[in-house]
Amino acid sequence: AAYTADDIERAFRNGKVASMFGMEGGHSIDGSLETLRAMYRAGARYMTLTHNRNTPWADSCTDEPKSNGLSEFGEQVVLEMNRLGMLVDLSHVSPDTMRDALRVTRSPVIFSHSGARGVCDHVRNVPDDVLPLVKQNNGVIMVVVLASFTSQQVFEHDRARQAAQERFRTQFNDVTGQIDEAMKRW
């Protein structure tokens, strides 16, 4: 495990890959800066501010907006992460949360598993207007290696497949595997 940039560089010089501990979703801190500090002391070095649902203080890209970005407490979370030396991970957050975090942070951010929305219009990817803000921040976007995040064609196929599956769920009682059969024909 790596806890500092020096740890990562040392591992690289020794031909190894270093990994950092992180938390995927700010719900992990249960609205407590002290819990955030405890997680840092336990070894966490980055945290995604949300996951698939909003936290009370930050909006996810896959949930209905509640804070319209970061709340005041969300801004405190970002600043405390900066103070601790913890990376702010903006994968999974809404574009408004991205913009707010980039406005507030005093340190470079990461997107640990996102991509560019201009390449593929996936809701988890970074919109074009946010990309220059990441550049100004000296942040990093680490591309997800799933085709549905990097290929518009695959993304659209996955979306159509999911819609067909939902249609078949409402159409069939799956006692005899009718959905599976319908999906094979699809």
Side-chain angles (χ1 to χ4, degrees):
Y3 300 98
T4 66
D6 289 341
D7 292 342
I8 293 169
E9 289 177 0
R10 186 174 25 267
F12 183 77
R13 279 193 307 274
N14 291 323
K16 297 183 178 183
V17 175
S19 294
M20 300 173 95
F21 292 110
M23 299 180 296
E24 188 164 32
H27 60 281
S28 307
I29 65 167
D30 197 29
S32 164
L33 293 179
E34 185 48 46
T35 301
L36 176 67
R37 293 178 197 113
M39 297 300 257
Y40 181 83
R41 287 190 301 271
R45 291 301 181 261
Y46 71 93
M47 180 176 74
T48 55
L49 300 184
T50 68
H51 194 242
N52 294 330
R53 297 283 173 242
N54 297 336
T55 63
W57 44 271
D59 289 337
S60 169
C61 65
T62 51
D63 201 354
E64 292 298 317
K66 297 281 193 261
S67 300
N68 296 311
L70 285 177
S71 71
E72 190 174 312
F73 180 74
E75 292 181 3
Q76 291 175 21
V77 170
V78 168
L79 292 172
E80 183 62 9
M81 291 174 73
N82 291 168
R83 188 190 73 74
L84 291 168
M86 187 178 236
L87 292 167
V88 176
D89 185 354
L90 298 178
S91 287
H92 287 279
V93 306
S94 72
D96 285 339
T97 303
M98 293 174 192
R99 291 180 198 98
D100 284 353
L102 285 159
R103 174 182 48 77
V104 170
T105 189
R106 295 188 176 120
S107 301
V109 301
I110 64 170
F111 288 81
S112 64
H113 54 293
S114 296
R117 213 174 272 180
V119 173
C120 181
D121 194 24
H122 194 291
V123 69
R124 288 229 336 256
N125 284 341
V126 184
D128 287 351
D129 71 294
V130 175
L131 294 174
L133 303 175
V134 178
K135 182 179 179 181
Q136 289 170 3
N137 169 263
N138 292 315
V140 176
I141 300 172
M142 297 178 252
V143 177
V144 137
V145 290
L146 295 173
S148 60
F149 286 82
T150 58
S151 164
Q152 190 65 35
Q153 183 179 3
V154 173
F155 173 69
E156 289 170 9
H157 176 270
D158 286 354
R159 199 163 38 178
R161 184 178 194 286
Q162 198 170 28
Q165 205 165 26
E166 287 302 314
R167 275 194 320 276
F168 297 144
R169 275 196 189 105
T170 61
Q171 194 176 6
F172 300 116
N173 177 354
D174 198 36
V175 176
T176 60
Q178 293 167 315
I179 294 172
D180 288 342
E181 284 304 312
M183 287 305 294
K184 285 177 189 173
R185 287 190 306 274
W186 181 84

